[in-house]
Amino acid sequence: ENVLMISHLERNELNIEKTKQDINEIIDLAISHVSLIVENKNGNIITEKNANKSIVSGNETHLINVLVNILDNAIKYNDNSPEILITTENIGSRLFIKVKDNGIGMSKAVQSKIFEKFYRKQTGDLHDVKGHGLGLAYVKKIITFHNGNISVDSVIDEGSTFTIQLNTLTK
């Protein structure tokens, strides 16, 4: 399903309808999708919604999927109890959403490839975490489709921070 979705996105064949979305509601819905997994690992998700302008033109389902994907990785790539902080802020007409975790982190080499299709971080001969290496490629395509940007900053053994930038709408 993800392969097909990415293929359609790459060829601009996916007709995704955009409507006014409140990012605060999108964040809450995404958290609700992963909250039980976080609780089972004795973790926490904290939100600091500082953005005054939180309305964007977007697709609810795909924006939720973007955040769920990032949150899921923050949980999976963590050897401890996941501590995740989601913040929002406005800079000019842009909305910044940051998802910071206390996971295993990534080298600069890995950071430069994680948004590529089928890329998966190697740990010796084995993949400790199941997946197809499509999640973050999908995330990048969806954010680009929403005229936004996504970046990552990470330190090994300290965690990662994913930053999403989107344009805001006036209410």
Side-chain angles (χ1 to χ4, degrees), residues 12 18 28 34 48 53 65 71 75-76 79 114 116 137 164 166:
N12 294 321
K18 294 182 196 173
D28 291 341
V34 299
E48 292 178 6
K53 296 178 271 181
N65 287 344
L71 291 170
I75 298 162
K76 287 193 297 192
D79 294 334
I114 61 167
E116 294 175 11
I164 298 169
L166 297 169

Side-chain angles (χ1 to χ4, degrees), residues 52-71:
N52 296 325
K53 296 178 271 181
S54 61
I55 305 297
V56 300
S57 174
N59 180 277
E60 180 184 51
T61 301
H62 288 287
L63 290 173
I64 291 169
N65 287 344
V66 160
L67 288 172
V68 166
N69 210 297
I70 293 169
L71 291 170

Side-chain angles (χ1 to χ4, degrees), residues 29-49:
L29 289 166
I31 291 170
S32 73
H33 282 73
V34 299
S35 61
L36 284 176
I37 302 165
V38 172
E39 286 173 26
N40 285 340
K41 294 191 166 226
N42 297 315
N44 288 302
I45 299 177
I46 297 165
T47 59
E48 292 178 6
K49 299 171 186 165

Side-chain angles (χ1 to χ4, degrees), residues 94 140 143-144 147-151 163-166:
R94 304 285 277 171
K140 175 124 176 109
I143 293 302
T144 300
N147 301 315
N149 296 308
I150 184 165
S151 60
T163 303
I164 298 169
Q165 297 176 42
L166 297 169

